[in-house]
Amino acid sequence: MRSEAFHERNRSAPHSQDRETYADLFPGVPDGLPQVWPASDREPRQIPTTGEPHWQQERGGRPC
């Protein structure tokens, strides 16, 4: 992933929980940054609608 905001947030999470351990590893990273979810580069998965619950469609109509 090339999203700097994503990586900075992931450095912020452990830093927020244990500053003494992570302060040297992640200097200058602020605490408590919000979650960042980059957009997916995958095509949305299309599930055919047959009237059955989607989990049964994915398993060939067999109940879980």
Side-chain angles (χ1 to χ4, degrees):
M1 298 199 152
R2 296 179 184 229
S3 171
E4 185 57 33
F6 175 83
H7 292 296
E8 185 173 39
R9 192 296 179 196
N10 283 343
R11 290 188 292 265
S12 173
H15 186 267
S16 297
Q17 295 170 6
D18 187 354
R19 286 186 189 98
E20 289 182 26
T21 300
Y22 293 99
D24 292 337
L25 293 173
F26 307 128
V29 174
D31 291 342
L33 293 176
Q35 279 284 28
V36 175
W37 295 103
S40 176
D41 59 353
R42 297 179 185 175
E43 291 292 321
R45 196 170 87 173
Q46 299 296 319
I47 299 175
T49 49
T50 63
E52 296 177 350
H54 69 87
W55 60 86
Q56 289 184 359
Q57 292 177 24
E58 293 175 359
R59 294 177 181 262
R62 296 186 316 268
C64 298

